[in-house]
């Protein structure tokens, strides 16, 4: 059965997704170029974007694929790096349950950016669900198109990619600042920063990510449980 959306809903979702478009297209193009630089064709960039669809880890995955990392290392890193989406989904648990077959797609496409946009939606129930779905769909298309364009350009045009991987860092800094301004409590953000810096000093820049993610995830789960019981 084909799902039909009103022109108003389509327009609202597209307008809401424009900020995501502005960041996703350029970041995903950088990802596609880095994949091409590592020797992977454009369709590998598309395949990864279709199945993995998590920008930060896709950049890390390039290194893993190039170095022949084990599947266990790749899977564990992916799980820990994207564990924050588990907390995001709690906010929309009720809405996702009511979206029927679209629920699994909404879970798969939950990202920092779509979460931020969804939090700003103040619409009637049906219109909100349709808008959330379309924002997720549009955003994923932006990322895939950018990945393919970057992969093709990276193969036919010789680019100096020095420093291009910083675009993902810049994107997360913008998201962090935006969420900091909107959040009522800053303790989770400060906890994450503190643990990250501490693990960096203890384990070094090449080994701090996993222990930092484990500790932060455990602490945030503890905080969430306390708030639920309160």
């Amino acid at each position: 059965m084909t799902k039909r959306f009103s022109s108003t809903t389509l327009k609202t979702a597209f307008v809401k997704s424009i900020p995501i478009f502005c960041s996703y297209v350029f970041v995903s193009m950088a990802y596609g170029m880095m994949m091409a630089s590592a020797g992977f064709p454009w369709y590998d960039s598309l395949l990864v974007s279709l199945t993995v669809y998590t920008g930060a880890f896709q950049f890390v995955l390039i290194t893993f694929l190039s170095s022949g990392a084990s599947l266990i290392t790749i899977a564990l890193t992916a799980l820990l790096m994207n564990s924050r989406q588990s907390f995001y989904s709690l906010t929309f648990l009720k809405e996702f349950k009511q979206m029927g077959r679209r629920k699994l797609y909404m879970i798969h496409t939950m990202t920092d950016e779509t979460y931020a946009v969804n939090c700003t939606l103040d619409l009637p129930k049906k219109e909100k669900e349709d808008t959330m779905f379309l924002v997720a769909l549009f955003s994923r298309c932006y990322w895939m198109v950018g990945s393919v364009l970057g992969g093709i350009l990276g193969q036919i045009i010789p680019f100096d990619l020095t420093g291009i991987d910083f675009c993902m860092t810049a994107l997360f800094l913008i998201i962090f600042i935006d969420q900091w301004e909107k959040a009522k409590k800053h303790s989770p953000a400060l906890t994450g920063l503190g643990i990250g810096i501490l693990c960096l000093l203890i384990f070094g820049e090449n080994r701090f990510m996993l222990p930092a993610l484990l500790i932060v995830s455990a602490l945030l789960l503890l905080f969430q449980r306390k708030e639920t019981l309160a």
Side-chain angles (χ1 to χ4, degrees):
M1 182 176 65
T2 303
K3 179 67 180 180
R4 293 185 178 181
F5 302 98
S6 68
S7 58
T8 301
T9 301
L10 286 166
K11 181 180 179 181
T12 300
F14 176 71
V15 171
K16 288 289 185 179
S17 71
I18 290 176
I20 301 178
F21 168 82
C22 294
S23 62
Y24 270 20
V25 167
F26 295 105
V27 175
S28 59
M29 284 182 66
Y31 163 72
M33 291 177 187
M34 291 183 67
M35 282 283 283
S37 179
F40 297 99
W42 64 266
Y43 49 81
D44 281 348
S45 300
L46 176 61
L47 178 62
V48 173
S49 296
L50 276 169
T51 54
V52 179
Y53 188 52
T54 163
F57 180 70
Q58 285 183 226
F59 279 85
V60 175
L61 186 60
I62 298 173
T63 303
F64 283 159
L65 293 175
S66 301
S67 62
S70 67
L71 289 176
I72 295 177
T73 300
I74 294 174
L76 183 60
T77 305
L79 176 64
L80 294 175
M81 285 189 67
N82 298 282
S83 59
R84 65 188 183 281
Q85 269 81 4
S86 301
F87 303 101
Y88 293 169
S89 61
L90 294 176
T91 308
F92 300 103
L93 196 59
K94 182 179 179 181
E95 285 90 342
F96 285 2
K97 282 184 176 180
Q98 296 173 346
M99 293 179 71
R101 290 180 296 178
R102 295 185 292 181
K103 176 179 70 175
L104 294 179
Y105 185 79
M106 295 303 298
I107 293 172
H108 175 64
T109 54
M110 174 67 79
T111 65
D112 303 278
E113 296 78 14
T114 56
Y115 172 77
V117 170
N118 290 341
C119 286
T120 67
L121 297 178
D122 185 15
L123 300 168
K125 175 180 176 294
K126 180 65 168 58
E127 188 177 349
K128 181 178 180 180
E129 291 176 357
D130 289 346
T131 302
M132 288 169 60
F133 175 78
L134 287 171
V135 167
L137 179 62
F138 290 158
S139 301
R140 193 181 186 197
C141 290
Y142 300 153
W143 185 271
M144 290 188 296
V145 169
S147 298
V148 172
L149 287 176
I152 294 174
L153 289 174
Q155 288 180 328
I156 63 178
I157 303 176
F159 285 101
D160 181 5
L161 300 179
T162 303
I164 199 172
D165 53 338
F166 183 76
C167 60
M168 181 56 68
T169 303
L171 174 60
F172 273 103
L173 284 174
I174 293 171
I175 294 170
F176 177 83
I177 293 171
D178 180 66
Q179 292 300 305
W180 177 277
E181 293 176 344
K182 294 179 181 178
K184 296 180 180 179
K185 294 182 179 180
H186 294 149
S187 53
L190 292 173
T191 299
L193 282 174
I195 295 300
I197 293 172
L198 183 62
C199 289
L200 176 62
L201 295 174
I202 295 174
F203 299 101
E205 61 178 308
N206 294 323
R207 297 184 179 87
F208 84 99
M209 183 66 74
L210 288 180
L213 287 170
L214 282 170
I215 296 171
V216 171
S217 297
L219 289 175
L220 290 178
L221 283 171
L222 181 61
F223 292 157
Q224 181 67 32
R225 184 174 181 182
K226 286 183 177 180
E227 289 183 1
T228 303
L229 295 176

